[in-house]
Amino acid sequence: MSSPTGEIYRVDWLPGTDVLHGTCHCGAEHAAQDPVEMWEWMLGHPEGHEPPGSTS
């Protein structure tokens, strides 16, 4: 089990469609029909960004 990162990712299914709507912890949004595409975008968007309120 991994430790919590404080990052929140959200994926919603848009009823009546085959579309998934994703929201990254930074607030960016993306829509896709393929769940693999959605998770690749979520986990890679954008490389190296930090959750709101964090300090480097």
Side-chain angles (χ1 to χ4, degrees):
M1 182 173 184
S2 62
S3 62
T5 63
E7 298 172 357
I8 298 173
Y9 300 90
R10 181 179 184 130
V11 177
D12 297 307
W13 166 64
L14 301 178
T17 71
D18 291 334
V19 177
L20 298 170
H21 178 259
T23 306
C24 182
H25 62 86
C26 72
E29 298 180 350
H30 181 74
Q33 290 185 338
D34 179 14
V36 173
E37 175 189 341
M38 176 59 69
W39 283 108
E40 286 175 348
W41 176 82
M42 285 285 213
L43 297 174
H45 166 80
E47 291 290 331
H49 72 306
E50 297 293 325
S54 68
T55 57
S56 298

